[in-house]
Amino acid sequence: MSNNIFNSRRFMLLCRQHFVHNNKLLGFSAGAYVGVVFILLSFVQATEELRPHDLDNFRGFLIGFVIVFGLLYVGYSFPGFRAKESTMNYLLVPASLMEKFVFELATRIGVMLLALPLLFWITFNLQGYFFTLFTEYSFDAIGIQQLVTVEMPNGIDSVGWFGVMITGLGLLLFVVPFTGAAMFSKQPLIKTLFSVAVIIIFYSTVIYVMAEPLGLNRYHSDGSMWLVPTEEHSAFRFFAIAAIIANAVMLFVAYRKLKEREA
């Protein structure tokens, strides 16, 4: 029964098939990403009198590029669903539902979160060394350890819950468009972002309308209520748990949507 759900050999064949059919597209995409990063880094450096980028620039650009390009890549997961013909071909691929789901999740989020920062680090250092050939400044290379080094803000006491919260919210940033790509066939990223915006505006309006007449803004909790966090520790704990639950729910919805399409 387990072989019908997930088979490692069949999963590796699925990965190999994807690479064989899309190796040129993946290569062009990686080249385009590196090119855009190099050009933007060079443009910003040119506007700052050719002074080389430092560690703060590295972290800021890293977060920005990974978020923007990550959303573009994850937002178009399940590319076989974009047209009826490709959907039929995708559903006929000799792999189980779980294997297809894990493959999309691993390649669209897992591999992306490894590849984009690594390519950015390589491009950042190459661009820095390249500009030293034309300027009098010296460039200090950024070590690869900076890709995994995280500095907590000053004054944070609940480091554990804060780390879980940031990790959960960071993953949710990509899990939401991943789920949207499983739900929408046409322009999934745009429809997902629009839906999220509408939901946020709706709930913000409801909370405001309810809180203002009831005077909830004047209510002071003793900090023991999970759903009304008033202290740093309880707030981090609340949002960390909420992010974990939201990720699990979104992935379950994406899996069920894929199962619905195969039914």
Side-chain angles (χ1 to χ4, degrees):
M1 181 68 179
S2 59
N3 287 339
N4 294 330
I5 297 176
F6 191 92
N7 182 278
S8 58
R9 181 177 178 274
R10 198 165 54 215
F11 180 76
M12 294 306 298
L13 290 174
L14 180 63
C15 296
R16 181 181 178 183
Q17 180 195 49
H18 176 78
F19 178 77
V20 169
H21 291 169
N22 300 279
N23 54 0
K24 291 184 179 180
L25 177 61
L26 293 174
F28 289 144
S29 299
Y33 172 72
V34 170
V36 171
V37 171
F38 190 95
I39 292 173
L40 288 181
L41 289 177
S42 301
F43 176 78
V44 173
Q45 187 172 351
T47 61
E48 297 181 351
E49 300 179 353
L50 300 181
R51 287 192 298 270
H53 299 296
D54 55 16
L55 182 57
D56 290 336
N57 295 132
F58 174 82
R59 290 170 176 165
F61 282 120
L62 173 63
I63 294 174
F65 279 117
V66 170
I67 290 178
V68 173
F69 284 91
L71 286 176
L72 291 175
Y73 184 68
V74 176
Y76 289 90
S77 303
F78 305 99
F81 294 161
R82 303 290 85 87
K84 292 183 178 180
E85 295 78 9
S86 58
T87 299
M88 291 300 299
N89 293 331
Y90 178 76
L91 297 178
L92 292 175
V93 171
S96 68
L97 176 68
M98 180 61 70
E99 289 161 0
K100 294 177 183 178
F101 180 78
V102 172
F103 171 78
E104 287 290 333
L105 182 63
T107 55
R108 291 286 172 169
I109 297 182
V111 175
M112 180 273 296
L113 289 177
L114 293 176
L116 291 189
L118 181 59
L119 288 174
F120 174 81
W121 172 77
I122 295 173
T123 309
F124 184 90
N125 284 288
L126 287 177
Q127 188 271 343
Y129 284 124
F130 177 78
F131 263 69
T132 58
L133 300 175
F134 308 99
T135 66
E136 58 184 9
Y137 297 105
S138 60
F139 171 71
D140 295 327
I142 303 297
I144 196 171
Q145 69 274 9
Q146 293 298 333
L147 293 177
V148 294
T149 301
V150 179
E151 291 188 2
M152 294 294 179
N154 296 327
I156 298 296
D157 297 326
S158 305
V159 176
W161 281 116
F162 180 80
V164 175
M165 179 188 71
I166 294 299
T167 302
L169 293 176
L171 288 176
L172 186 62
L173 181 66
F174 300 110
V175 170
V176 169
F178 178 81
T179 304
M183 298 179 64
F184 303 113
S185 297
K186 303 295 184 180
Q187 301 296 329
L189 181 58
I190 296 176
K191 292 180 179 179
T192 301
L193 295 178
F194 177 77
S195 300
V196 171
V198 171
I199 292 172
I200 292 176
I201 294 174
F202 173 76
Y203 278 102
S204 299
T205 304
V206 170
I207 292 174
Y208 177 79
V209 171
M210 293 180 60
E212 190 67 22
L214 296 178
L216 296 180
N217 57 332
R218 297 188 297 272
Y219 176 76
H220 298 286
S221 171
D222 59 0
S224 60
M225 299 178 64
W226 277 67
L227 296 180
V228 187
T230 57
E231 299 178 353
E232 178 185 278
H233 176 77
S234 59
F236 290 159
R237 179 185 60 189
F238 172 80
F239 288 109
I241 295 176
I244 294 173
I245 295 175
N247 278 299
V249 170
M250 285 293 173
L251 290 177
F252 177 75
V253 171
Y255 178 79
R256 293 295 301 178
K257 190 62 180 180
L258 180 61
K259 186 174 182 180
E260 177 185 316
R261 290 179 180 272
E262 285 208 344

